[in-house]
Amino acid sequence: MKKSISIIVPVYNAEKTLKRCLDSLIKQTYKNLEIVCVDDCSVDNSFEILNEYASKDSRVKVFKNDVNKGVGYTRQKGLDVSTSEYIMWCDSDDWYELDMCKKMINAMLKYDVDMVECSYRYVDVGECNERFLREKLVPLLYSNSKRDIDLSIYNSQVKMLWNKIFKRSIIDEWNLKIPSIGLFEDIVFCFLYLMKSKNIYFLDKKLYNYVRHPKSTVTCEVNSHSFLLFKEFMVFKLVFDFVKENGWNDKLYICNELYFSYLKQICSNCYSFVSNVEYNITNSISRVLSQNSKYFPMKMNIFFATDNNYVEQLYVAIRSILTNAYLEDMFNFYILDGGISRKNKKLLSKLQSEKANIEYLKVDNSLFESFPENIDYITKATYFRFLIPQLKPSLKKCLYLDCDIVVNGSLRELYNIDLEDNYIVAVQDGSNISYNYGKEAFGVDAYFNAGVLLINNEKWVKDDAMGQLINNVSKLQNKLLYNDQDVLNYTFKGKVKFIDWKFNMQTCFFTEMVKPYKISIEDISNAKKNPLIVHYSNSDKPWKTWCSNSYWYLYYSFLKITPFRKNAKKYLKNISKKL
């Protein structure tokens, strides 16, 4: 049996155009249709015309709102009462070409896509402008990437309901609704639908006729360019709130990009606003921004320490940061350089851009010649972080990261944490060995892992933290097991702010029953579901052996978009031999 299609027609005072619209629908060459018409309390003869057509064709179903509700509510009511597997919309002053439904459903089934969009005609008084879409199939979801929707695709004509066919299964599964906001409600619906679609198909057939009136939203002089931009900006705020409230965490990145593409356009026009309406818009934007300060442009200062041995891991770590960054995130990457070759620096330079600057800070290895090395997979380069306040004394705060990490989201949340009067912000070490060891050796109830440190550089400089750390290396030399991590825990005891495990998800969380200090097992479980930073903290690194960290695959997903991508096969081959 042929698939059924519901065509939803919102109607309000459309007696002059309604018959043309309904004739184009009932005469479709594709017959398995349900034509759902919802009258929004018209004061002309629209409701009578609807009933006339319903008496002649059982596929026409007529409903009426109790009071005038607007087009958003009316469209949603039509969706609620419709029953078909596929959904289309038609405005009451527009009309379909007679083979529109047939061509749309055929493309939907032939290409196995979640949405089809066709070309259309703008019909103005005395003229007809045709809008073309280049025919193509577009995948929307890419594995291991948060760039789910190409902005150029979304910002074309994907915003309107009336030249598309949708799957009811997607609408119902994700409880998608058309909001009653009076303007651009179709943008919200289309955008949310796209975020849950695998692919779409652009059909280069002019199948829809859209009538533009001199007083319509599109052409009305009252709606200036800046006003329309602001309205769309507020729509995206609604979308963003919906995404957050419904836990669509994997969609936040693309939502943020679209949100700010409009914000930038609005702000660029702020000084040209002249009318009182636009002045009020500017104030509204300011209020929205003040309530969402985390979306202001932000520059983060991030330190890594390495020699030539960990350049690949450094590249992967920075690549993961940049891939997951918000649109407005910017970075200064400071590399504490223990002997990186010119060749490797040339490779790393490929990561530089307007948003990401890389600066090498040469470290004299002889300064650490006598410092102990007690763990075979930890080099003396980890001591380099002691030098940060001396090398960059002007920084108020900075983030230090080990190279054996990958980042799984924007670092903005971590970087914005209030340091208060602490030397560092850190995450407890997950190893039970270090838990007992830290208590016995250094008297610390909560022993932190030093792979991820938000540093109060201003306080380090003021209190000569570098001098304290270096002096304590000598003082504790015979006690040290975890090298600089032990020294940091001893030196900053009582002046550490502990944060959620998701900011440093260590491998031991997947191999031990962790006994954390003042943090529940449930907290660890929640953090493991969506870590911001994955830390390959044990000796079983994913590039060496089979890694017990459940997020080992993330390393390979970022490795494949680096100049070291060929190493992946070699690593996996060596690992398979050892298994």
Side-chain angles (χ1 to χ4, degrees):
M1 184 176 177
K2 287 187 176 181
K3 303 289 184 181
S4 61
I5 301 173
S6 291
I7 305 173
I8 298 166
V9 186
V11 179
Y12 180 70
N13 291 349
E15 63 178 6
K16 293 181 180 179
T17 59
L18 187 54
K19 289 185 178 181
R20 178 181 61 189
C21 172
L22 294 174
D23 285 340
S24 76
L25 302 183
I26 64 175
K27 293 178 181 179
Q28 287 289 304
T29 57
Y30 193 87
K31 299 300 181 183
N32 194 10
L33 303 176
E34 175 188 54
I35 303 168
V36 179
C37 303
V38 183
D39 182 73
D40 192 23
C41 295
S42 298
V43 295
D44 63 4
N45 293 318
S46 295
F47 190 62
E48 288 73 16
I49 294 171
L50 292 176
N51 286 323
E52 176 189 340
Y53 274 77
S55 66
K56 296 177 182 178
D57 192 322
S58 61
R59 296 176 302 169
V60 179
K61 300 178 180 179
V62 179
F63 301 86
K64 186 173 184 176
N65 295 335
D66 295 332
V67 295
N68 183 265
K69 293 281 192 175
V71 68
Y73 177 92
T74 305
R75 282 172 167 164
Q76 180 60 45
K77 182 172 181 177
L79 180 59
D80 291 340
V81 298
S82 64
T83 61
S84 300
E85 302 164 80
Y86 294 90
I87 304 296
M88 295 175 69
W89 273 273
C90 184
D91 287 352
S92 57
D93 49 357
D94 303 337
W95 72 95
Y96 281 7
E97 294 297 312
L98 296 184
D99 56 353
M100 179 168 177
C101 290
K102 180 178 180 180
K103 288 183 176 177
M104 296 289 275
I105 190 69
N106 284 349
M108 196 84 159
L109 300 175
K110 178 180 178 180
Y111 298 105
D112 189 24
V113 293
D114 291 333
M115 187 185 83
V116 173
E117 176 176 1
C118 69
S119 298
Y120 58 95
R121 298 180 182 90
Y122 269 143
V123 182
D124 298 300
V125 177
E127 62 178 310
C128 181
N129 300 314
E130 296 181 341
R131 297 299 174 99
F132 296 90
L133 296 168
R134 184 166 63 87
E135 188 148 345
K136 59 181 175 180
L137 185 143
V138 181
L140 295 179
L141 301 177
Y142 303 93
S143 60
N144 300 318
S145 171
K146 295 206 170 124
R147 297 177 180 273
D148 292 336
I149 303 174
D150 186 334
L151 292 183
S152 65
I153 293 172
Y154 181 77
N155 285 322
S156 56
Q157 297 298 326
V158 182
K159 302 170 186 176
M160 294 84 70
L161 291 170
W162 35 258
N163 64 333
K164 300 173 181 62
I165 183 169
F166 303 86
K167 285 183 178 178
R168 174 178 292 281
S169 58
I170 293 176
I171 296 170
D172 288 348
E173 181 180 359
W174 299 105
N175 194 29
L176 302 182
K177 303 288 184 183
I178 300 171
S180 301
I181 56 178
L183 190 65
F184 297 138
E185 69 285 330
D186 41 359
I187 296 179
V188 178
F189 181 87
C190 288
F191 180 37
L192 293 172
Y193 185 93
L194 280 173
M195 285 199 291
K196 289 302 182 181
S197 300
K198 299 187 299 296
N199 47 31
I200 61 177
Y201 190 78
F202 290 112
L203 182 64
D204 186 17
K205 305 289 184 184
K206 296 178 288 296
L207 302 175
Y208 192 90
N209 299 281
Y210 179 83
V211 178
R212 292 198 298 190
H213 301 286
K215 294 184 179 180
S216 69
T217 300
V218 177
T219 57
C220 185
E221 292 181 3
V222 173
N223 291 303
S224 66
H225 177 61
S226 50
F227 179 80
L228 293 174
L229 282 172
F230 173 70
K231 291 291 283 188
E232 292 204 26
F233 168 74
M234 296 309 294
V235 164
F236 280 117
K237 185 173 188 314
L238 290 175
V239 171
F240 185 83
D241 290 342
F242 180 94
V243 168
K244 285 203 303 182
E245 289 167 9
N246 287 273
W248 295 7
N249 294 329
D250 59 328
K251 306 302 177 187
L252 286 173
Y253 178 86
I254 189 63
C255 191
N256 180 71
E257 288 220 3
L258 287 163
Y259 189 66
F260 276 96
S261 68
Y262 281 92
L263 176 60
K264 278 187 170 182
Q265 294 178 66
I266 298 166
C267 291
S268 67
N269 291 328
C270 277
Y271 295 106
S272 65
F273 289 171
V274 291
S275 71
N276 290 332
V277 172
E278 291 171 326
Y279 177 77
N280 291 333
I281 290 169
T282 309
N283 289 339
S284 298
I285 295 170
S286 299
R287 287 195 297 274
V288 171
L289 288 176
S290 66
Q291 295 165 8
N292 294 276
S293 58
K294 69 178 181 177
Y295 296 114
F296 277 117
M298 174 185 285
K299 183 164 284 187
M300 290 173 262
N301 300 302
I302 301 179
F303 284 78
F304 288 94
T306 192
D307 50 27
N308 229 25
N309 297 314
Y310 265 70
V311 170
E312 176 193 297
Q313 287 70 36
L314 172 63
Y315 200 114
V316 169
I318 295 177
R319 179 72 274 166
S320 70
I321 292 170
L322 297 177
T323 299
N324 287 290
Y326 286 157
L327 188 66
E328 301 299 320
D329 290 347
M330 295 175 286
F331 304 92
N332 284 323
F333 292 108
Y334 298 107
I335 314 300
L336 301 168
D337 178 9
I340 302 174
S341 69
R342 185 177 298 176
K343 177 183 176 181
N344 281 330
K345 286 181 179 178
K346 187 176 181 180
L347 286 177
L348 288 164
S349 68
K350 295 180 180 181
L351 294 166
Q352 293 203 131
S353 67
E354 290 181 2
K355 294 188 176 185
N357 180 60
I358 296 177
E359 181 180 339
Y360 296 93
L361 305 173
K362 186 62 180 174
V363 176
D364 184 356
N365 288 320
S366 66
L367 293 172
F368 304 96
E369 193 172 338
S370 62
F371 284 28
E373 289 181 275
N374 300 310
I375 305 291
D376 58 1
Y377 57 87
I378 302 177
T379 70
K380 285 185 179 178
T382 59
Y383 288 107
F384 293 176
R385 75 191 88 183
F386 292 178
L387 302 178
I388 290 174
Q390 181 189 70
L391 296 170
K392 287 292 175 182
S394 63
L395 300 180
K396 288 189 174 183
K397 69 191 299 188
C398 60
L399 180 63
Y400 174 86
L401 299 173
D402 279 349
C403 292
D404 56 349
I405 60 102
V406 292
V407 173
N408 195 38
S410 171
L411 288 173
R412 187 176 288 228
E413 182 184 0
L414 171 57
Y415 204 84
N416 274 335
I417 291 175
D418 187 359
L419 284 152
E420 300 169 5
D421 191 40
N422 297 293
Y423 282 104
I424 57 170
V425 168
V427 173
Q428 290 184 40
D429 192 88
S431 169
N432 288 324
I433 295 174
S434 65
Y435 173 78
N436 297 321
Y437 162 73
K439 255 189 157 181
E440 294 168 5
F442 309 112
V444 294
D445 289 321
Y447 180 94
F448 62 81
N449 181 279
V452 178
L453 301 176
L454 185 62
I455 295 173
N456 188 341
N457 202 57
E458 192 172 37
K459 186 173 177 64
W460 278 38
V461 171
K462 179 183 175 183
D463 296 348
D464 188 25
M466 185 186 77
Q468 294 182 55
L469 291 164
I470 290 174
N471 288 336
N472 285 336
V473 173
S474 300
K475 180 179 178 180
L476 303 171
Q477 192 149 9
N478 296 327
K479 281 189 172 182
L480 299 180
L481 175 60
Y482 295 105
N483 301 347
D484 62 305
Q485 184 168 278
D486 288 348
V487 179
L488 288 161
N489 270 274
Y490 177 82
T491 305
F492 298 146
K493 182 167 52 176
K495 283 293 183 179
V496 178
K497 183 175 183 176
F498 286 92
I499 54 174
D500 196 288
W501 300 84
K502 71 178 183 179
F503 294 111
N504 185 353
M505 183 51 61
Q506 303 148 50
T507 299
C508 50
F509 294 158
F510 300 95
T511 60
E512 303 179 29
M513 285 297 293
V514 183
K515 301 174 184 176
Y517 177 71
K518 291 185 177 179
I519 293 183
S520 69
I521 298 299
E522 183 181 358
D523 290 332
I524 298 174
S525 178
N526 290 334
K528 285 163 73 172
K529 293 175 184 176
N530 190 28
L532 179 69
I533 297 177
V534 175
H535 187 187
Y536 306 113
S537 53
N538 290 6
S539 57
D540 57 341
K541 312 291 186 185
W543 55 90
K544 283 186 176 180
T545 185
W546 177 253
C547 183
S548 49
N549 190 311
S550 295
Y551 291 95
W552 63 269
Y553 61 88
L554 285 180
Y555 183 83
Y556 286 91
S557 71
F558 291 110
L559 179 62
K560 71 183 182 182
I561 53 175
T562 76
F564 302 93
R565 63 181 66 88
K566 291 182 180 179
N567 289 344
K569 286 185 179 179
K570 180 179 72 175
Y571 295 151
L572 292 172
K573 185 176 181 181
N574 290 338
I575 291 169
S576 65
K577 287 180 180 178
K578 296 176 183 178
L579 293 177

